[in-house]
Amino acid sequence: DGGITQSPKYLFRKEGQNVTLSCEQNLNHDAMYWYRQDPGQGLRLIYYSQIVNDFQKGDIAEGYSVSREKKESFPLTVTSAQKNPTAFYLCASSSEAAQGHGELFFGEGSRLTVL
Amino acid sequence: AQKITQTQPGMFVQEKEAVTLDCTYDTSDPSYGLFWYKQPSSGEMIFLIYQGSYDQQNATEGRYSLNFQKARKSANLVISASQLGDSAMYFCAMREVNTNAGKSTFGDGTTLTVKP
């Protein structure tokens, strides 16, 4: 079945540590996105990539980094510079063939807690 | 200015009744898409319905319909015959084709509770 796989589902991190969240898709989508969601709030865009080897900052990129070496993969690193990283992280993809009118397909999310 | 505004933080509805979740948007791009997503307590985001800016008719998907009023920049979600499983958070989102590189912008969401 086609879809997006995020791992790990739950992650605990000590302050000062970098952590990497994995996101893999087999939908052959060009565009991939990382969103952050805080409790009871909407989604805020961290980074997005519309093509391999290229990515752009979203609204809240500080303290995060990404790579897009393969079409299928878009990992997110939460660095120690991110002051408040405890949140729910959602990875999504979309088909650019729909030229902006296609819906987002989401993974199940990764919940990061800083101890 | 907020691009997507959902003014109802929480809504209650009796099982089997209809409910309308409000969404207004702001854009100067003539080409855009409007979307509704459902987020159950498990956290996954589920796509419900889509309306294109050039679509003449309101979109419908089963029990979901989108009341699109372009001049008012309004895209309300109507859920008919509510079920207990409809209890979730609902997000309105917009993708602007020309002015925002097709990125999605989300509202703050509405938490819907269906009462038995």
Side-chain angles (χ1 to χ4, degrees):
Chain A
D1 278 338
I4 297 183
T5 302
Q6 285 187 244
S7 63
K9 199 163 186 175
Y10 299 95
L11 185 60
F12 297 90
R13 184 193 100 172
K14 292 183 181 179
E15 281 195 25
Q17 285 182 335
N18 292 356
V19 293
T20 297
L21 307 180
S22 169
C23 178
E24 303 276 331
Q25 55 103 354
N26 61 4
L27 299 166
N28 200 34
H29 285 168
D30 292 307
M32 297 187 73
Y33 309 83
W34 274 106
Y35 287 92
R36 170 181 171 142
Q37 186 179 27
D38 291 290
Q41 296 187 26
L43 279 63
R44 292 184 290 167
L45 183 64
I46 306 172
Y47 267 99
Y48 66 102
S49 167
Q50 293 174 310
I51 197 168
V52 174
N53 291 323
D54 189 39
F55 49 83
Q56 283 79 39
K57 293 181 180 180
D59 301 317
I60 56 164
E62 186 175 348
Y64 299 97
S65 66
V66 293
S67 63
R68 186 88 187 276
E69 296 175 5
K70 298 186 299 182
K71 188 175 185 177
E72 303 79 21
S73 179
F74 192 41
L76 174 74
T77 297
V78 185
T79 75
S80 55
Q82 169 49 235
K83 292 189 176 14
N84 185 18
T86 294
F88 187 57
Y89 292 88
L90 283 159
C91 179
S93 71
S94 68
S95 169
E96 291 312 285
Q99 295 181 338
H101 289 269
E103 72 270 28
L104 294 177
F105 292 75
F106 285 88
E108 292 186 339
S110 294
R111 196 169 298 277
L112 172 63
T113 303
V114 173
L115 303 172
Chain B
Q2 283 256 55
K3 281 185 179 270
I4 297 285
T5 303
Q6 295 181 251
T7 57
Q8 307 153 314
M11 288 282 285
F12 291 90
V13 65
Q14 209 66 36
E15 194 178 7
K16 298 180 187 175
E17 291 186 352
V19 63
T20 298
L21 306 184
D22 294 340
C23 172
T24 57
Y25 61 93
D26 184 27
T27 182
S28 56
D29 193 331
S31 182
Y32 55 90
L34 296 159
F35 304 81
W36 278 91
Y37 294 89
K38 172 184 178 181
Q39 187 179 41
S41 56
S42 57
E44 64 191 297
M45 293 283 282
I46 303 165
F47 164 71
L48 296 177
I49 195 166
Y50 157 81
Q51 180 84 42
S53 56
Y54 296 117
D55 293 342
Q56 297 294 317
Q57 295 196 332
N58 288 341
T60 60
E61 288 286 350
R63 294 186 299 111
Y64 304 108
S65 60
L66 199 152
N67 184 358
F68 181 46
Q69 297 188 43
K70 195 170 181 178
R72 290 184 163 187
K73 292 188 174 177
S74 163
N76 298 340
L77 177 71
V78 180
I79 304 175
S80 63
S82 296
Q83 302 172 355
L84 295 177
D86 294 335
S87 292
M89 200 153 182
Y90 289 80
F91 291 97
C92 180
M94 175 174 65
R95 294 188 76 180
E96 297 161 282
V97 174
N98 301 307
T99 57
N100 201 22
K103 293 179 292 182
S104 292
T105 306
F106 287 80
D108 289 335
T110 296
T111 300
L112 177 66
T113 304
V114 180
K115 295 181 173 180

